[in-house]
Amino acid sequence: MIKKKILIITSTLIAVIVFALPTGFIYVLNNGNPYTKYIANKYVPKYLEAKGYTDEKIEESHFVEPKHLINKDFYHGHYMVIFKDEPNTTYYYGITKKGKQVQQFCEKNRLSDGITEIFEGETKHSEHDCKNSLDNRD
């Protein structure tokens, strides 16, 4: 009887390892880390609202998962924002691992003549204390 219980428990554990772990890994690869997404969706909209950006001023905003390494001081996921008065520029915000502070990244995507380019100059919604997302990557 005890051997049968041990066999059932062992079989169940092996089945979980064989099926659940790869499924979870594939989910994270395709959708990003759910914890990072939760953090971004929790903190960035509150930050934008505190800065005076209401839904009427924002054309589009949501979590994005970059496909390259970013600054190690920040969680990997970004929050992208396009403002209605500047529809050709995409701003990115990140959350620091220490203190969960929202910071705007200096790099912005600017669409001109159908080509998207990285732009780091001053724009309407640039913040003075932005951080470079490509620093501190090792």
Side-chain angles (χ1 to χ4, degrees):
M1 186 69 169
I2 292 176
K3 286 184 179 184
K4 188 174 182 179
K5 284 184 180 182
I6 291 174
L7 182 63
I8 291 172
I9 291 171
T10 305
S11 299
T12 304
L13 186 60
I14 290 172
V16 166
I17 290 171
V18 169
F19 295 110
L21 287 179
T23 303
F25 184 71
I26 291 169
Y27 175 85
V28 169
L29 283 177
N30 288 329
N31 301 303
N33 185 331
Y35 178 70
T36 305
K37 187 174 186 177
Y38 168 77
I39 296 271
N41 288 329
K42 179 179 178 181
Y43 288 101
V44 178
K46 289 179 187 176
Y47 174 81
L48 294 170
E49 189 177 311
K51 289 277 189 183
Y53 298 124
T54 60
D55 288 340
E56 292 80 36
K57 294 180 182 180
I58 297 174
E59 183 175 317
E60 182 181 352
S61 65
H62 57 82
F63 174 81
V64 292
E65 186 77 25
K67 300 299 180 198
H68 57 278
L69 292 177
I70 68 160
N71 192 321
K72 289 183 179 181
D73 296 332
F74 290 84
Y75 287 104
H76 188 69
H78 293 344
Y79 198 85
M80 58 125 342
V81 179
I82 300 173
F83 295 98
K84 287 185 179 178
D85 61 349
E86 207 174 6
N88 292 334
T89 304
T90 303
Y91 293 84
Y92 295 97
Y93 295 84
I95 296 97
T96 60
K97 290 179 180 177
K98 189 173 186 178
K100 294 188 178 47
Q101 299 296 313
V102 176
Q103 294 258 283
Q104 186 183 73
F105 290 124
C106 298
E107 302 88 5
K108 302 156 198 68
N109 286 348
R110 180 173 273 176
L111 180 66
S112 64
D113 298 327
I115 299 171
T116 302
E117 60 187 9
I118 295 175
F119 179 75
E120 291 190 34
E122 287 292 319
T123 56
K124 287 182 183 180
H125 303 285
S126 291
E127 295 181 8
H128 181 65
D129 60 341
C130 65
K131 298 290 182 192
N132 192 318
S133 69
L134 302 176
D135 285 347
N136 191 23
R137 297 188 302 168
D138 295 323

